[in-house]
Amino acid sequence: MKQTSHQFSENVTRALAEPTLKIALDRTTTLLRTRRAKVIDAFPEYAKARETAQKIKDHTLDNLGHYLRQFEENAIASGAQVYWAATPAEARKTVTDICKAEGAKTATRVKSMLGEEIGIGEALADAGVERIETDLAEHIIQLAGDPPSHIVMPAMHKTQEQVAELFAAKHKEPSEEQDVTSLVGSARRELRAKFMNADISISGANFLIADTGSFVTVTNEGNAELTTTPPKTHIVTVGIEKIVPSLKHAAVFLRLLSRAAIGTEITQYTTFFNGPKRDGDRDGPENLHIVLVDNHRSDMLSDFLRPMLRCIRCGACMNHCPVYAAVGGHAYGAVYPGPMGSVLTPAMTGLKGSKDLPNACTLNGRCREVCPVNIPLTDMLRALRAKQFDEGMPTPMTKWALRLWGVMATRPALYRFGTGVSNMALRLLARGRGKITSVPLAGGWTRTRDLPEPEAGTFMQQYKKRR
């Protein structure tokens, strides 16, 4: 499924017409929101931890060069090889060159959004290396030929019933039962031997620790450990913003990450890797290669998008976004969907080619409210919209609508009159049914959804009445 962000309108139309997509999204996002709320309520230090995490990130970004050099020195001292990649193309070439030097035919891969960002799957295919996804959800979308639709739950767009059909068609030994346990067993039978016999392994990293040269992976399935341990050579691809000064700083983020992402106090597996296998070690890779990727992150350091570099990729902003909940991740046509993707994609690929994404937001602020590192996503989205306007990107219709809005918004009496008339008109269209199925000149709103009937009176009218 190849989609691009400049086709956002077409992607949205297609997503809204998919009957099972809304079911799949509702099942998962509702569960994640509910679990997150419970675990945050049970964590009285949450506000303090969130404030501390923001300060750590801001300090690290202020001194990014220092901590990256420290990490490189300590990683090399522990026996790893460190590479720098300014672009996705450089990162892909580094990875495939290592695979070729090792004569690799198969590579197991741990779920990594950085890997998606640099296009590692396509690079391995071009190099003749079979890619084996070890994360269950990534395995599902690999079989389906889909890109991830969520950064934590990449197969969120698939229902359990669709997964059962997929495994029945693609697995050598599929389960006859369609319950979750049986489906997991089917995947285990399909993948376990491949885990143990892969020539090379590739992962991302949730955090890099500067003062030890270590990297950290956080998973719930143990696939990271199964991926990184058996092969002789392991490759890590990671964004430069994932650096933290020390283990005690990483611990702050570990307390926040799983709570924000999946609503648990901690994940099943949190593993710290420090160099390749040493004399006396029972297992581990003999060779460790760490590829540090920039891809416009340095540009963001001196830009108004700098706070986006705090992101720990928890996905909470997506789980609470009404737009994402309606159309899913594929509609965004980019590696990173949802609110965080609407900021990151323009930063990494250019605003002109992704101009619809900053406008795919109601600016309700829920994303910032739940962000564990307090990223001002709505502020940055507004700033991107302003930049679009300054660079002349809006269509003539959009410019006309903004001018009309400006006239209304700067004339309170006219604004109140217009909203009052609109309120009455919408109530007439509802005809007492509690919903509006059609609005003249607004078919895009009502083609796939009903609008609720507005209350009697505008906000200002009700406010005056209550006073």
Side-chain angles (χ1 to χ4, degrees):
M1 181 187 293
K2 182 67 173 178
Q3 295 175 317
T4 54
S5 53
H6 68 268
Q7 296 174 329
F8 180 74
S9 296
E10 294 92 328
N11 296 343
V12 165
T13 300
R14 183 167 50 249
L16 291 172
E18 292 183 18
T20 60
L21 179 60
K22 183 65 174 173
I23 296 172
L25 292 172
D26 283 346
R27 283 179 181 176
T28 310
T29 57
T30 301
L31 174 65
L32 292 173
R33 288 195 303 269
T34 303
R35 287 170 52 175
R36 178 199 169 275
K38 288 181 179 179
V39 78
I40 293 299
D41 287 344
F43 182 28
E45 301 90 354
Y46 174 72
K48 180 63 176 177
R50 187 186 192 213
E51 179 185 353
T52 302
Q54 178 182 341
K55 289 180 179 178
I56 293 170
K57 274 291 186 180
D58 288 342
H59 165 78
T60 307
L61 293 173
D62 287 341
N63 301 276
L64 187 59
H66 164 74
Y67 287 117
L68 287 172
R69 285 192 294 271
Q70 185 182 27
F71 172 82
E72 180 184 34
E73 291 171 1
N74 290 322
I76 291 173
S78 70
Q81 298 183 57
V82 179
Y83 309 79
W84 299 84
T87 65
E90 289 182 16
R92 290 194 298 270
K93 185 177 186 304
T94 300
V95 171
T96 54
D97 283 352
I98 295 169
C99 290
K100 291 174 183 176
E102 295 290 334
K105 299 299 181 183
T106 60
T108 47
R109 194 180 85 101
V110 184
K111 182 177 77 66
S112 161
M113 292 311 300
L114 193 280
E116 299 292 336
E117 179 186 321
I118 65 176
I120 198 68
E122 295 83 353
L124 291 174
D126 292 342
V129 179
E130 180 189 359
R131 172 175 55 98
I132 302 152
E133 294 290 348
T134 63
D135 176 84
L136 179 58
E138 287 284 349
H139 173 64
I140 291 169
I141 63 174
Q142 184 181 23
L143 292 181
D146 290 348
S149 60
H150 190 281
I151 64 171
V152 177
M153 307 286 183
M156 181 182 282
H157 59 289
K158 293 290 187 185
T159 65
Q160 181 179 329
E161 295 78 10
Q162 289 174 319
V163 173
E165 292 177 6
L166 186 66
F167 283 8
K170 300 286 188 177
H171 282 178
K172 294 178 181 177
E173 299 179 45
S175 299
E176 293 184 5
E177 303 298 326
Q178 296 188 356
D179 60 281
V180 173
T181 302
S182 298
L183 294 175
V184 172
S186 178
R188 182 179 291 113
R189 290 190 295 274
E190 187 78 12
L191 293 172
R192 184 56 62 95
K194 294 179 180 180
F195 286 2
M196 305 308 296
N197 296 310
D199 298 320
I200 211 159
S201 61
I202 303 172
S203 78
N206 291 90
F207 305 103
L208 301 171
I209 301 179
D211 68 352
T212 61
S214 308
F215 68 94
V216 186
T217 62
V218 178
T219 70
N220 271 314
E221 300 171 12
N223 55 303
E225 291 71 22
L226 277 172
T227 300
T228 58
T229 302
K232 184 177 72 172
T233 299
H234 179 60
I235 304 171
V236 183
T237 59
V238 58
I240 57 175
E241 83 285 6
K242 293 296 185 73
I243 193 85
V244 295
S246 69
L247 177 59
K248 70 177 182 180
H249 297 104
V252 175
F253 295 100
L254 290 172
R255 298 185 77 192
L256 291 168
L257 177 58
S258 55
R259 285 180 166 92
I262 57 175
T264 62
E265 293 185 359
I266 196 168
T267 53
Q268 301 286 354
Y269 299 91
T270 300
T271 305
F272 296 78
F273 298 89
N274 190 16
K277 183 178 181 180
R278 299 174 177 81
D279 292 340
D281 287 349
R282 297 182 62 182
D283 53 33
E286 297 176 14
N287 308 301
L288 176 62
H289 304 269
I290 302 173
V291 184
L292 302 173
V293 181
D294 189 329
N295 192 22
H296 296 287
R297 287 164 172 81
S298 295
D299 298 334
M300 295 169 67
L301 275 174
S302 57
D303 194 87
F304 66 92
L305 300 179
R306 177 191 179 105
M308 195 65 235
L309 294 173
R310 296 181 202 151
C311 181
I312 59 174
R313 305 296 194 267
C314 68
C317 60
M318 299 172 200
N319 303 335
H320 292 77
C321 174
V323 177
Y324 180 92
V327 301
H330 290 157
Y332 292 83
V335 170
Y336 299 107
M340 55 89 75
S342 295
V343 174
L344 271 176
T345 302
M348 292 181 174
T349 65
L351 185 55
K352 188 174 182 179
S354 55
K355 61 183 181 181
D356 286 333
L357 299 188
N359 300 288
C361 176
T362 66
L363 300 179
N364 61 83
R366 292 173 72 186
C367 51
R368 179 172 185 169
E369 182 181 340
V370 300
C371 176
V373 286
N374 197 28
I375 299 173
L377 287 159
T378 48
D379 293 347
M380 291 187 287
L381 289 167
R382 275 194 294 266
L384 285 170
R385 293 180 185 183
K387 186 176 181 181
Q388 286 179 336
F389 189 83
D390 292 341
E391 295 180 4
M393 293 184 190
T395 64
M397 178 64 75
T398 301
K399 292 178 181 178
W400 179 85
L402 288 171
R403 281 195 292 269
L404 178 61
W405 168 255
V407 170
M408 297 282 290
T410 54
R411 293 166 174 80
L414 181 60
Y415 181 84
R416 287 194 291 270
F417 173 77
T419 54
V421 171
S422 299
N423 179 269
M424 289 187 291
L426 289 172
R427 287 179 61 77
L428 286 172
L429 288 170
R431 299 171 186 171
R433 296 171 298 182
K435 62 182 180 180
I436 303 169
T437 57
S438 179
V439 179
L441 304 178
W445 281 96
T446 56
R447 187 177 300 113
T448 56
R449 66 180 78 75
D450 295 333
L451 294 179
E453 179 180 359
E455 296 185 21
T458 65
F459 171 82
M460 290 303 298
Q461 290 169 343
Q462 294 186 57
Y463 179 70
K464 284 185 177 181
K465 185 177 180 180
R466 293 190 181 189
R467 290 189 65 185

